[in-house]
Amino acid sequence: MQKRSYYGLLSTISLSAFGDAFGLLAMEWLVYELTGSKLAMGALALSSMIPEQALRLLGSPLSDRLPRVRFMACLASLRLLALLLPLGMGLAGHLQLWHLFAAASLSGACSALFMPTAMAVIPGITSTSKLMRAFAIIDGCKGAAALLGPALAGVLTAASGALPALGINAVCYTAAIATLLLLPRMGKPAAAPAGSFSIALYLREVAEGFSFYRQFPAMLTIMMMAAVSNLSSIAVWTMMVPYVREVLHRDAAAVGSLSTASALGYLTGLGVISLMGEITKRRIVMLGSLGLSGIVTIVWGFIPSYPFALFAVFAAGLLGPFFGSLSSSLHGRLVPGYLQGRVNSVRFLIGGSLSPLGALAGGAVAELYGMQVLLFAAGILPALYAGVALRLPGLKALDGDLSVIEQSTRPKSEVTLTGNVPV
């Protein structure tokens, strides 16, 4: 493991996640204060997700064409500029709704390629035997940032308003950019295309991002499961501010506490996974975590109390790594290095494909039928999907020894040079 590069990347991701916890709560709080509308809350999420999904599709080759670390620094710089718009206008006393929507759109477009590019860097600076651990550490640090960030953001917003929270988000992004610029130059990926460019070549590179899923359909099914899970999660979490204010009758500190409880559950789940070691029955573990998370959400809808809400989000967070970390490690092991950027972009594209629908539906269902119906619907979808997927024979390919599949997904030239990869 190239320690300097890995820990620099780890610091950047953690700083970004910590700052985003402040920025997300701040922008949601500001939208709700300006409009008081649940539909406006869903529209804010939608304004971020639409450009995010579009750029994940059209921009996916950029992660493999450009020096990845410098590309991440450029994306982080654009996100910083996006935050400065509502922050500056708010401090000047001229904040309008469109400032928040514009910031969310630009930030979403940049985040479309930020994390896929980061995920593409990791296999190149980590040995195969340590890949699961590398992803788990990054997930753990993101979870720790999400553990501290929302609670502090909630307290700060309740005490001083939302603008100071936006300011902390900007400071975190400034530090993340500086960290990226100080990392060693890693150059382009080994199999990056030559300098010549054509529309036909670029579109072919976009299509290559999907080739992995044609070759390994079981992973496509997994990402479709992630899409359903994300739809449900987005539908619930975009309504968390009105849920806390109208159902629980609490302030921004409670919103932060719920996010913190979710992150604490996620960290606990990561700890359990690390103690379990290598998981070979991946299909049962991943589908089971998805189904149980849905059941918890259904029950949450029938018990409108703050203590049970804390338990529900903790339990859902606890189950999350049994799906997410296994999916990340599978992609890290099975995707050839030169395709990591494109495939990770497609991975996030598929996994987030239903998120705009979740944001829109969450606001509409909560507005028309209330939070209880929303929570029931958000729970029943992943639970049913997991039950159906459990009967699909193709998913059995996820279990057991992956070395044969690893060999088949790599280019012939790479196989000839390196031989078998140890599991």
Side-chain angles (χ1 to χ4, degrees):
M1 191 183 293
Q2 299 177 20
K3 290 186 176 180
R4 183 183 171 189
S5 297
Y6 177 76
Y7 287 115
L9 188 66
L10 181 65
S11 300
T12 298
I13 293 172
S14 301
L15 283 166
S16 302
F18 185 75
D20 285 343
F22 282 82
L24 178 62
L25 178 58
M27 292 215 289
E28 288 178 342
W29 198 262
L30 287 168
V31 168
Y32 195 72
E33 283 190 335
L34 288 172
T35 66
S37 168
K38 298 182 183 68
L39 289 175
M41 301 288 296
L44 177 70
L46 198 63
S47 69
S48 172
M49 292 173 191
I50 289 176
E52 186 174 358
Q53 293 298 92
L55 194 58
R56 275 179 181 159
L57 174 62
L58 299 177
S60 59
L62 296 177
S63 297
D64 294 326
R65 275 185 163 266
L66 302 173
R68 287 169 174 159
V69 171
R70 295 300 184 262
F71 183 44
M72 289 174 64
C74 291
L75 293 170
S77 299
L78 289 174
R79 292 192 75 181
L80 175 60
L81 291 176
L83 289 172
L84 293 178
L85 172 62
L87 178 59
M89 298 305 292
L91 292 174
H94 300 300
L95 181 65
Q96 298 179 28
L97 191 61
W98 75 266
H99 297 143
L100 296 165
F101 278 75
S105 297
L106 181 56
S107 181
C110 294
S111 67
L113 298 178
F114 187 84
M115 278 307 297
T117 304
M119 295 298 101
V121 173
I122 294 170
I125 58 176
T126 309
S127 65
T128 302
S129 61
K130 296 180 179 179
L131 199 57
M132 180 67 185
R133 177 171 172 262
F135 279 113
I137 291 173
I138 284 180
D139 282 343
C141 288
K142 284 170 59 182
L147 177 66
L148 295 174
L152 295 175
V155 171
L156 180 63
T157 301
S160 306
L163 291 178
L166 273 182
I168 290 178
N169 194 2
V171 170
C172 288
Y173 264 97
T174 302
I177 294 164
T179 303
L180 285 169
L181 293 176
L182 292 173
L183 289 180
R185 291 184 178 272
M186 298 179 196
K188 296 181 182 180
S196 59
F197 175 83
S198 70
I199 297 297
L201 174 61
Y202 189 85
L203 292 177
R204 186 165 68 247
E205 291 171 22
V206 171
E208 284 175 351
F210 293 89
S211 63
F212 169 74
Y213 295 101
R214 289 195 299 269
Q215 187 176 0
F216 196 16
M219 291 303 295
L220 177 60
T221 303
I222 288 297
M223 292 319 302
M224 292 171 64
M225 290 165 53
V228 172
S229 177
N230 287 332
L231 180 151
S232 298
S233 178
I234 289 294
V236 172
W237 282 98
T238 53
M239 292 298 104
M240 198 56 66
V241 170
Y243 171 73
V244 166
R245 294 185 65 166
E246 298 177 10
V247 177
L248 302 182
H249 306 292
R250 291 175 177 262
D251 60 13
V255 180
S257 297
L258 289 170
S259 297
T260 294
S262 175
L264 181 60
Y266 195 84
L267 285 174
T268 305
L270 285 171
V272 173
I273 282 183
S274 66
L275 292 175
M276 292 174 66
E278 177 70 15
I279 297 173
T280 55
K281 295 186 180 298
R282 301 174 187 89
R283 179 177 65 104
I284 298 297
V285 170
M286 296 177 80
L287 293 175
S289 66
L290 188 66
L292 286 174
S293 179
I295 292 171
V296 168
T297 304
I298 292 171
V299 177
W300 179 15
F302 291 99
I303 306 178
S305 75
Y306 180 56
F308 191 82
L310 287 171
F311 166 77
V313 296
F314 175 86
L318 173 69
L319 294 165
F322 291 91
F323 188 94
S325 292
L326 279 173
S327 175
S328 294
S329 64
L330 283 169
H331 280 85
R333 291 178 65 174
L334 300 178
V335 178
Y338 75 100
L339 283 177
Q340 279 283 339
R342 276 163 280 183
V343 173
N344 273 296
S345 293
V346 172
R347 170 193 167 195
F348 283 97
L349 173 69
I350 298 171
S353 60
L354 299 179
S355 294
L357 176 60
L360 188 62
V365 172
E367 190 81 50
L368 294 173
Y369 305 107
M371 284 298 301
Q372 181 179 351
V373 174
L374 173 61
L375 289 169
F376 178 82
I380 198 68
L381 280 176
L384 286 176
Y385 196 104
V388 172
L390 191 61
R391 304 181 66 85
L392 297 176
L395 289 184
K396 292 181 179 179
L398 299 174
D399 293 335
D401 188 350
L402 297 176
S403 58
V404 175
I405 301 174
E406 284 182 273
Q407 197 80 358
S408 67
T409 59
R410 299 169 70 190
K412 291 182 179 179
S413 58
E414 191 177 344
V415 171
T416 302
L417 287 172
T418 61
N420 292 328
V421 179
V423 177

